[in-house]
Short mmCIF file of all heavy atoms in Angstrom, two decimals:
data_model
loop_
_atom_site.label_atom_id
_atom_site.label_comp_id
_atom_site.label_asym_id
_atom_site.label_seq_id
_atom_site.Cartn_x
_atom_site.Cartn_y
_atom_site.Cartn_z
N THR A 1 14.98 -17.76 -21.51
CA THR A 1 13.91 -16.90 -22.00
C THR A 1 12.59 -17.13 -21.27
O THR A 1 11.74 -16.25 -21.23
CB THR A 1 13.69 -17.09 -23.51
OG1 THR A 1 13.41 -18.48 -23.76
CG2 THR A 1 14.91 -16.66 -24.30
N ALA A 2 12.42 -18.31 -20.69
CA ALA A 2 11.18 -18.60 -19.95
C ALA A 2 11.06 -17.73 -18.70
O ALA A 2 9.97 -17.58 -18.14
CB ALA A 2 11.13 -20.07 -19.57
N PHE A 3 12.18 -17.14 -18.24
CA PHE A 3 12.19 -16.33 -17.02
C PHE A 3 12.38 -14.85 -17.32
O PHE A 3 12.67 -14.07 -16.41
CB PHE A 3 13.29 -16.82 -16.07
CG PHE A 3 13.04 -18.20 -15.54
CD1 PHE A 3 13.48 -19.31 -16.25
CD2 PHE A 3 12.36 -18.40 -14.36
CE1 PHE A 3 13.26 -20.59 -15.76
CE2 PHE A 3 12.13 -19.67 -13.87
CZ PHE A 3 12.58 -20.77 -14.57
N LEU A 4 12.19 -14.45 -18.57
CA LEU A 4 12.21 -13.03 -18.91
C LEU A 4 10.81 -12.45 -18.78
O LEU A 4 9.82 -13.18 -18.75
CB LEU A 4 12.75 -12.83 -20.33
CG LEU A 4 14.21 -13.21 -20.57
CD1 LEU A 4 14.56 -13.04 -22.04
CD2 LEU A 4 15.14 -12.38 -19.69
N GLY A 5 10.75 -11.14 -18.75
CA GLY A 5 9.45 -10.49 -18.64
C GLY A 5 9.15 -10.08 -17.21
O GLY A 5 10.03 -9.71 -16.44
N GLN A 6 7.87 -10.19 -16.84
CA GLN A 6 7.41 -9.55 -15.60
C GLN A 6 7.68 -10.40 -14.36
O GLN A 6 7.38 -11.59 -14.31
CB GLN A 6 5.91 -9.26 -15.71
CG GLN A 6 5.46 -8.17 -14.77
CD GLN A 6 4.03 -7.74 -15.04
OE1 GLN A 6 3.16 -7.88 -14.18
NE2 GLN A 6 3.76 -7.23 -16.22
N TRP A 7 8.25 -9.75 -13.34
CA TRP A 7 8.63 -10.40 -12.08
C TRP A 7 7.59 -10.15 -10.99
O TRP A 7 7.17 -11.06 -10.29
CB TRP A 7 9.99 -9.86 -11.63
CG TRP A 7 10.55 -10.45 -10.38
CD1 TRP A 7 10.09 -10.29 -9.11
CD2 TRP A 7 11.73 -11.27 -10.27
NE1 TRP A 7 10.91 -10.94 -8.21
CE2 TRP A 7 11.91 -11.56 -8.89
CE3 TRP A 7 12.66 -11.75 -11.20
CZ2 TRP A 7 12.98 -12.33 -8.43
CZ3 TRP A 7 13.72 -12.52 -10.73
CH2 TRP A 7 13.87 -12.80 -9.37
N GLY A 8 7.21 -8.88 -10.80
CA GLY A 8 6.30 -8.54 -9.71
C GLY A 8 5.31 -7.48 -10.10
O GLY A 8 5.49 -6.75 -11.08
N VAL A 9 4.24 -7.37 -9.30
CA VAL A 9 3.20 -6.39 -9.56
C VAL A 9 2.68 -5.88 -8.21
O VAL A 9 2.61 -6.63 -7.24
CB VAL A 9 2.06 -6.99 -10.41
CG1 VAL A 9 1.39 -8.16 -9.70
CG2 VAL A 9 1.04 -5.94 -10.81
N PHE A 10 2.34 -4.57 -8.16
CA PHE A 10 1.80 -3.97 -6.94
C PHE A 10 0.56 -3.15 -7.31
O PHE A 10 0.66 -2.11 -7.96
CB PHE A 10 2.85 -3.05 -6.27
CG PHE A 10 2.38 -2.44 -4.99
CD1 PHE A 10 2.48 -3.12 -3.79
CD2 PHE A 10 1.81 -1.16 -4.97
CE1 PHE A 10 2.04 -2.55 -2.59
CE2 PHE A 10 1.37 -0.58 -3.78
CZ PHE A 10 1.49 -1.29 -2.59
N PRO A 11 -0.64 -3.62 -6.88
CA PRO A 11 -1.89 -2.94 -7.23
C PRO A 11 -2.57 -2.24 -6.06
O PRO A 11 -3.75 -1.90 -6.16
CB PRO A 11 -2.76 -4.11 -7.69
CG PRO A 11 -2.37 -5.21 -6.74
CD PRO A 11 -0.91 -4.98 -6.39
N LEU A 12 -1.87 -2.01 -4.95
CA LEU A 12 -2.54 -1.62 -3.70
C LEU A 12 -2.64 -0.12 -3.47
O LEU A 12 -3.12 0.31 -2.42
CB LEU A 12 -1.82 -2.27 -2.51
CG LEU A 12 -1.81 -3.81 -2.51
CD1 LEU A 12 -1.08 -4.33 -1.28
CD2 LEU A 12 -3.22 -4.38 -2.58
N PHE A 13 -2.20 0.71 -4.40
CA PHE A 13 -2.37 2.15 -4.23
C PHE A 13 -3.86 2.51 -4.21
O PHE A 13 -4.66 1.97 -4.99
CB PHE A 13 -1.70 2.92 -5.37
CG PHE A 13 -0.19 2.87 -5.36
CD1 PHE A 13 0.50 2.41 -6.47
CD2 PHE A 13 0.53 3.30 -4.27
CE1 PHE A 13 1.88 2.38 -6.49
CE2 PHE A 13 1.92 3.26 -4.26
CZ PHE A 13 2.60 2.80 -5.37
N ASP A 14 -4.24 3.46 -3.34
CA ASP A 14 -5.64 3.89 -3.27
C ASP A 14 -6.10 4.53 -4.57
O ASP A 14 -7.29 4.51 -4.90
CB ASP A 14 -5.82 4.89 -2.12
CG ASP A 14 -5.72 4.24 -0.75
OD1 ASP A 14 -5.85 3.00 -0.67
OD2 ASP A 14 -5.51 4.97 0.24
N SER A 15 -5.17 5.12 -5.33
CA SER A 15 -5.53 5.79 -6.58
C SER A 15 -5.96 4.82 -7.67
O SER A 15 -6.57 5.23 -8.66
CB SER A 15 -4.33 6.59 -7.09
OG SER A 15 -3.27 5.70 -7.45
N GLY A 16 -5.63 3.54 -7.52
CA GLY A 16 -5.90 2.58 -8.58
C GLY A 16 -4.73 2.37 -9.52
O GLY A 16 -4.79 1.50 -10.39
N THR A 17 -3.67 3.14 -9.36
CA THR A 17 -2.48 2.93 -10.18
C THR A 17 -1.87 1.57 -9.86
O THR A 17 -1.79 1.16 -8.70
CB THR A 17 -1.44 4.04 -9.93
OG1 THR A 17 -1.98 5.28 -10.37
CG2 THR A 17 -0.15 3.76 -10.68
N ILE A 18 -1.44 0.87 -10.90
CA ILE A 18 -0.81 -0.44 -10.76
C ILE A 18 0.61 -0.32 -11.31
O ILE A 18 0.81 0.23 -12.41
CB ILE A 18 -1.57 -1.52 -11.56
CG1 ILE A 18 -3.03 -1.59 -11.09
CG2 ILE A 18 -0.90 -2.87 -11.45
CD1 ILE A 18 -3.94 -2.30 -12.07
N VAL A 19 1.59 -0.80 -10.56
CA VAL A 19 2.97 -0.79 -11.03
C VAL A 19 3.49 -2.22 -11.10
O VAL A 19 3.12 -3.06 -10.27
CB VAL A 19 3.89 0.08 -10.16
CG1 VAL A 19 3.54 1.55 -10.31
CG2 VAL A 19 3.82 -0.33 -8.70
N ALA A 20 4.29 -2.49 -12.10
CA ALA A 20 4.86 -3.82 -12.27
C ALA A 20 6.32 -3.70 -12.69
O ALA A 20 6.72 -2.73 -13.34
CB ALA A 20 4.07 -4.61 -13.33
N SER A 21 7.10 -4.70 -12.30
CA SER A 21 8.51 -4.73 -12.65
C SER A 21 8.74 -5.79 -13.71
O SER A 21 8.48 -6.97 -13.49
CB SER A 21 9.37 -5.03 -11.41
OG SER A 21 8.91 -6.20 -10.74
N ASP A 22 9.17 -5.34 -14.88
CA ASP A 22 9.48 -6.25 -15.97
C ASP A 22 11.00 -6.37 -16.06
O ASP A 22 11.70 -5.37 -16.20
CB ASP A 22 8.91 -5.72 -17.29
CG ASP A 22 9.00 -6.72 -18.41
OD1 ASP A 22 10.12 -7.00 -18.86
OD2 ASP A 22 7.95 -7.22 -18.86
N ARG A 23 11.52 -7.57 -15.96
CA ARG A 23 12.95 -7.77 -15.82
C ARG A 23 13.75 -7.04 -16.89
O ARG A 23 14.77 -6.42 -16.59
CB ARG A 23 13.30 -9.26 -15.89
CG ARG A 23 12.75 -10.09 -14.75
CD ARG A 23 13.38 -11.46 -14.72
NE ARG A 23 14.79 -11.35 -14.36
CZ ARG A 23 15.68 -12.32 -14.58
NH1 ARG A 23 15.32 -13.43 -15.19
NH2 ARG A 23 16.94 -12.16 -14.21
N ASN A 24 13.31 -7.12 -18.12
CA ASN A 24 14.10 -6.56 -19.21
C ASN A 24 13.46 -5.35 -19.87
O ASN A 24 14.06 -4.73 -20.74
CB ASN A 24 14.39 -7.62 -20.28
CG ASN A 24 13.20 -8.49 -20.59
OD1 ASN A 24 12.62 -9.07 -19.69
ND2 ASN A 24 12.85 -8.61 -21.85
N ASN A 25 12.26 -4.93 -19.42
CA ASN A 25 11.60 -3.77 -20.03
C ASN A 25 11.39 -2.62 -19.05
O ASN A 25 10.91 -1.57 -19.45
CB ASN A 25 10.25 -4.19 -20.62
CG ASN A 25 10.42 -5.09 -21.82
OD1 ASN A 25 11.10 -4.73 -22.79
ND2 ASN A 25 9.84 -6.29 -21.77
N GLY A 26 11.72 -2.82 -17.77
CA GLY A 26 11.65 -1.72 -16.82
C GLY A 26 10.35 -1.65 -16.05
O GLY A 26 9.58 -2.60 -15.99
N LEU A 27 10.11 -0.47 -15.48
CA LEU A 27 8.90 -0.23 -14.69
C LEU A 27 7.71 -0.01 -15.60
O LEU A 27 7.75 0.80 -16.52
CB LEU A 27 9.11 1.00 -13.79
CG LEU A 27 7.88 1.46 -12.98
CD1 LEU A 27 7.51 0.43 -11.94
CD2 LEU A 27 8.16 2.81 -12.33
N ILE A 28 6.63 -0.73 -15.32
CA ILE A 28 5.38 -0.61 -16.08
C ILE A 28 4.33 0.03 -15.16
O ILE A 28 4.13 -0.43 -14.03
CB ILE A 28 4.87 -1.98 -16.56
CG1 ILE A 28 5.99 -2.77 -17.26
CG2 ILE A 28 3.66 -1.81 -17.45
CD1 ILE A 28 6.52 -2.15 -18.52
N VAL A 29 3.69 1.10 -15.62
CA VAL A 29 2.66 1.80 -14.84
C VAL A 29 1.34 1.64 -15.58
O VAL A 29 1.24 2.00 -16.77
CB VAL A 29 3.01 3.28 -14.64
CG1 VAL A 29 1.98 3.95 -13.74
CG2 VAL A 29 4.41 3.43 -14.03
N MET A 30 0.31 1.14 -14.89
CA MET A 30 -0.95 0.80 -15.54
C MET A 30 -2.14 1.23 -14.68
O MET A 30 -1.99 1.56 -13.51
CB MET A 30 -1.05 -0.73 -15.74
CG MET A 30 0.07 -1.35 -16.53
SD MET A 30 0.06 -3.18 -16.40
CE MET A 30 0.80 -3.40 -14.78
N GLN A 31 -3.31 1.18 -15.28
CA GLN A 31 -4.57 1.28 -14.57
C GLN A 31 -5.52 0.26 -15.16
O GLN A 31 -5.47 -0.03 -16.37
CB GLN A 31 -5.16 2.69 -14.68
CG GLN A 31 -4.40 3.74 -13.88
CD GLN A 31 -5.05 5.10 -13.91
OE1 GLN A 31 -5.74 5.43 -14.88
NE2 GLN A 31 -4.84 5.90 -12.89
N LEU A 32 -6.38 -0.30 -14.33
CA LEU A 32 -7.34 -1.31 -14.77
C LEU A 32 -8.61 -0.64 -15.24
O LEU A 32 -9.18 0.21 -14.54
CB LEU A 32 -7.65 -2.28 -13.64
CG LEU A 32 -8.58 -3.44 -13.96
CD1 LEU A 32 -7.97 -4.36 -15.01
CD2 LEU A 32 -8.90 -4.23 -12.69
N SER A 33 -9.07 -1.02 -16.43
CA SER A 33 -10.29 -0.47 -16.99
C SER A 33 -11.32 -1.58 -17.15
O SER A 33 -10.99 -2.73 -17.41
CB SER A 33 -10.01 0.17 -18.36
OG SER A 33 -11.22 0.53 -19.00
N ASP A 34 -12.58 -1.24 -16.95
CA ASP A 34 -13.65 -2.20 -17.19
C ASP A 34 -13.98 -2.31 -18.68
O ASP A 34 -14.75 -3.17 -19.09
CB ASP A 34 -14.91 -1.79 -16.43
CG ASP A 34 -14.75 -1.93 -14.93
OD1 ASP A 34 -13.98 -2.82 -14.52
OD2 ASP A 34 -15.37 -1.16 -14.18
N THR A 35 -13.39 -1.43 -19.49
CA THR A 35 -13.66 -1.44 -20.91
C THR A 35 -12.65 -2.32 -21.64
O THR A 35 -11.45 -2.14 -21.46
CB THR A 35 -13.57 -0.01 -21.49
OG1 THR A 35 -14.47 0.83 -20.78
CG2 THR A 35 -13.90 0.00 -22.96
#
């Protein structure tokens, strides 16, 4: 269980979209907010 969850993250799109790979929950799509 210590190795479940998020494996990798990619924040380099010019749009600001952030994508992450969660081993057991799938693709996560995010954006960073200052709020």
